[in-house]
Amino acid sequence: MLTLDLKQEKRIDSLANTLEKKIDSLATKVEVGFTEVKGEIKRLDERVGHVEKRMDDTNQRIDDTRVSLEKQMEKTQSSLEKRIDDTNARLNSITIGFFGIVGILVTGILTVLGKLVFFPNPLS
């Protein structure tokens, strides 16, 4: 069997202690590193959440603007249709009046021409 002297045992104990310290240090570094990574992920999540909130707010403003524009377009369209109807009614009234006056003038002229043609004046 293998026998170790006192010096070798102390050296092995020293190496074992050094190895345990390194393992503890490595475990601490891993834990700290994990905590830092976790903190970075949390900060990134907060930033992404902030960006998503801004995007949602922007989309809501776009939707509100679109709805407002649609309402304004409907108002403008109904106003334009009303104006066209009013203009059409005025034009119809003017046309009827014009044809009425022209009809009366044509009737008068035809009456005078008919009297002159069919009933000439014997004095002239």
Side-chain angles (χ1 to χ4, degrees):
M1 197 152 119
L2 193 65
T3 58
L4 298 174
D5 63 1
L6 192 56
K7 219 178 193 185
Q8 288 177 336
E9 282 184 28
K10 284 184 181 180
R11 184 163 169 87
I12 290 174
D13 285 341
S14 171
L15 288 173
N17 286 338
T18 306
L19 187 59
E20 285 180 17
K21 287 179 184 177
K22 286 185 178 183
I23 289 173
D24 288 342
S25 173
L26 182 62
T28 304
K29 286 180 183 177
V30 167
E31 186 175 327
V32 168
F34 178 73
T35 303
E36 287 177 3
V37 168
K38 192 174 178 183
E40 287 293 323
I41 290 174
K42 184 177 180 183
R43 278 187 264 166
L44 287 174
D45 282 344
E46 289 173 357
R47 286 183 180 176
V48 167
H50 179 69
V51 170
E52 286 177 347
K53 183 180 181 298
R54 287 181 64 189
M55 286 175 54
D56 290 342
D57 291 345
T58 302
N59 286 337
Q60 183 63 39
R61 283 197 314 246
I62 289 171
D63 289 342
D64 293 345
T65 303
R66 182 182 49 80
V67 168
S68 174
L69 287 174
E70 286 176 353
K71 286 180 182 178
Q72 287 179 355
M73 285 175 51
E74 288 175 4
K75 283 182 182 178
T76 304
Q77 184 179 6
S78 65
S79 173
L80 185 61
E81 287 176 358
K82 186 176 185 263
R83 291 176 117 183
I84 289 173
D85 289 343
D86 291 345
T87 304
N88 193 18
R90 288 181 191 162
L91 186 61
N92 287 344
S93 298
I94 291 171
T95 304
I96 289 171
F98 175 75
F99 284 140
I101 292 171
V102 169
I104 291 171
L105 288 175
V106 168
T107 302
I109 292 171
L110 287 177
T111 303
V112 169
L113 286 176
K115 185 177 182 295
L116 288 175
V117 170
F118 294 113
F119 304 106
N121 191 354
L123 295 176
S124 43

